[in-house]
Amino acid sequence: MSEQDFPEDEFAARTQAAQKAMHSQGIDALFFTTEAEMRYFTGFRTLFWQSPTRPWFLVVPVNGKPIAVIPQIGAHLMANTWIDDIRVFSAPHPVDDGIALLADTLKDFTKIAMPMGRESVLRMPLRDFQRLRDLTNDAEYLDGTGLIQSLRMVKSEREIALLREICGIGSEAFARAPELFHTGQQLNEVFRSFRIELLKQGADDVPYLVGGAGQDGYGDVISPPSARPLQEGDVLMLDTGATKSGYFCDFDRNFAIGQASDAVRSAHETLVRAVEAAAAIARPGRTCADLFRAMAGVLGEGEGDVGRLGHGLGMQLTEAPSLTGFDETPLRENMVLTLEPSLSLGLGRMMVHEENIVIRDGSPEFLTVPTGPDIPVITR
């Protein structure tokens, strides 16, 4: 077996936890079509998911190991995981991209659960799924969103160690901002230099890097970079989702270019205080809505246009739960969350601040190196 991100007992424990929940809910099998769930139960990690051409399927029965139903091109890599039952099909195929094989795999199960709710997606042609339903017409397809999200929201210590490592890498890269950024530097060069620094610090990849810059704030938090040069009085924000062994950090930092106005200094301090307010109550038994209200109280705002003030973090840049006023999900030990308050500064400008934490029995553990209330100023 080639080297994997985790030993077999990590995946066995995840599968057993799922099967325990399946037993209690009367579910015969879980059915998945997406990368995160495939990797969660098998350890199968590849960038080949970037290609939409081929579907990939995973079945987790209520007893025994998961069953992979995958294109032939993935057989060798899947054989390096802990999975024994690997059923392959030719793809792309003019008539049947694995649906008959998948239906045969599911034929003995009567209650099949799959993600159907918020943050879920069906990664296969809809007409193929309809054909699968026809071929397995004795089966009942149930919503397994709650089951799988409940499992994935709580991380193992091995997962947390990877998240701690990539957050440390991101923190080290941000600490080098005074050497990397300067007045007059084009924003696309800022992004390029920071991406390179993340890789130098040990990130495997930087699949997500967004941000913005503008006088006394920026217009949004998801923009790709332009060729606009940094100017005196700008606020520069970079938000990174770098990865290590397939696990993400997700946090941002704000920098004042040359000088910071009183409004910018005050906004930055308020954002940091909002994070501190949420961290002060982030304990098992509190809820996502509690954290939202703690931050919103400091900000003096409601949910606004952003819709949430943080989310889960792990194998995906954003995972369940959401820190919103309506998400009453109880916090549990070993949940990994982002705390992400935002402020509108008027005239189409805003500022956002984000940290990553682990819920512990007591004070949360900060995976990121927390920033202080004073906004850093780039003086060169």
Side-chain angles (χ1 to χ4, degrees):
M1 175 179 289
S2 65
E3 183 178 353
Q4 297 294 296
D5 296 327
F6 300 111
E8 283 191 16
D9 65 338
E10 177 80 14
F11 303 107
R14 296 174 183 180
T15 301
Q16 289 162 9
Q19 290 168 333
K20 181 179 179 180
M22 293 162 66
H23 272 291
S24 67
Q25 297 179 33
I27 294 170
D28 299 320
L30 297 175
F31 169 52
F32 302 110
T33 65
T34 46
E35 187 270 344
E37 283 70 35
M38 176 81 76
R39 179 151 54 99
Y40 182 77
F41 286 107
T42 70
F44 182 80
R45 180 163 65 89
T46 173
L47 290 177
F48 203 72
W49 287 91
Q50 295 293 332
S51 169
T53 303
R54 298 169 176 85
W56 303 75
F57 308 118
L58 185 73
V59 177
V60 180
V62 71
N63 296 297
K65 287 186 178 184
I67 303 165
V69 184
I70 61 174
Q72 177 65 49
I73 198 170
H76 180 80
L77 181 58
M78 185 63 77
N80 290 327
T81 73
W82 77 302
I83 301 304
D84 301 319
D85 193 343
I86 304 169
R87 307 177 188 188
V88 300
F89 55 89
S90 175
H93 190 277
V95 177
D96 183 355
D97 272 345
I99 300 306
L101 181 61
L102 177 61
D104 184 69
T105 303
L106 293 171
K107 69 180 186 302
D108 295 328
F109 305 116
T110 57
K111 291 187 180 294
I112 302 168
M114 57 188 295
M116 296 182 183
R118 190 184 298 273
E119 300 189 25
S120 66
V121 63
L122 181 68
R123 192 190 178 278
M124 64 184 294
L126 180 57
R127 64 186 180 187
D128 281 359
F129 181 64
Q130 291 169 333
R131 179 169 173 241
L132 175 67
R133 295 288 300 270
D134 290 340
L135 292 172
T136 56
N137 58 9
D138 291 334
E140 180 182 4
Y141 286 80
L142 309 171
D143 186 358
T145 306
L147 188 157
I148 186 60
Q149 288 187 349
S150 179
L151 292 173
R152 288 188 51 201
M153 280 191 291
V154 178
K155 271 52 179 186
S156 71
E157 289 297 338
R158 287 171 177 145
E159 290 180 288
I160 291 170
L162 278 179
L163 290 162
R164 186 184 297 115
E165 183 177 2
I166 190 57
C167 287
I169 287 169
S171 295
E172 286 293 327
F174 274 126
R176 293 210 57 223
E179 305 164 49
L180 298 174
F181 312 140
H182 60 84
T183 304
Q185 187 178 19
Q186 291 183 341
L187 192 57
N188 51 17
E189 178 55 34
V190 169
F191 274 56
R192 187 177 300 110
S193 63
F194 189 63
R195 189 183 300 272
I196 291 170
E197 184 61 30
L198 285 163
L199 295 172
K200 284 182 176 179
Q201 291 293 336
D204 290 341
D205 199 3
V206 189
Y208 185 83
L209 180 60
V210 297
Q215 290 286 294
D216 289 336
Y218 30 86
D220 67 79
V221 295
I222 61 171
S223 290
S226 68
R228 176 191 182 277
L230 295 179
Q231 303 171 20
E232 180 101 358
D234 276 353
V235 178
L236 166 68
M237 186 277 286
L238 292 173
D239 183 0
T240 182
T243 60
K244 188 72 176 181
S245 298
Y247 279 76
F248 279 87
C249 66
D250 180 20
F251 66 110
D252 67 43
R253 291 294 180 261
N254 292 277
F255 305 94
I257 305 301
Q259 60 174 332
S261 68
D262 290 344
V264 166
R265 291 182 185 277
S266 176
H268 190 271
E269 180 182 357
T270 299
L271 291 168
V272 172
R273 285 194 294 110
V275 166
E276 292 171 346
I281 65 167
R283 305 289 190 276
R286 300 302 292 261
T287 68
C288 293
D290 289 336
L291 299 190
F292 172 84
R293 286 189 284 264
M295 288 185 278
V298 173
L299 300 172
E301 297 184 354
E303 293 198 36
D305 292 334
V306 174
R308 64 180 181 180
L309 300 180
H311 52 80
L313 178 68
M315 294 193 303
Q316 292 171 289
L317 183 76
T318 68
E319 298 183 353
S322 289
L323 303 190
T324 65
F326 61 80
D327 194 331
E328 296 291 345
T329 300
L331 302 184
R332 296 156 64 191
E333 192 170 0
N334 284 20
M335 276 185 171
V336 178
L337 302 173
T338 74
L339 304 177
E340 190 176 10
S342 61
L343 268 176
S344 172
L345 303 182
L347 301 176
R349 297 168 301 170
M350 67 181 302
M351 286 180 63
V352 179
H353 176 56
E354 188 172 19
E355 303 283 3
N356 301 161
I357 65 169
V358 184
I359 302 299
R360 296 299 197 183
D361 184 12
S363 299
E365 175 189 354
F366 274 78
L367 298 177
T368 48
V369 176
T371 194
D374 296 330
I375 187 170
V377 179
I378 304 295
T379 57
R380 70 187 184 105

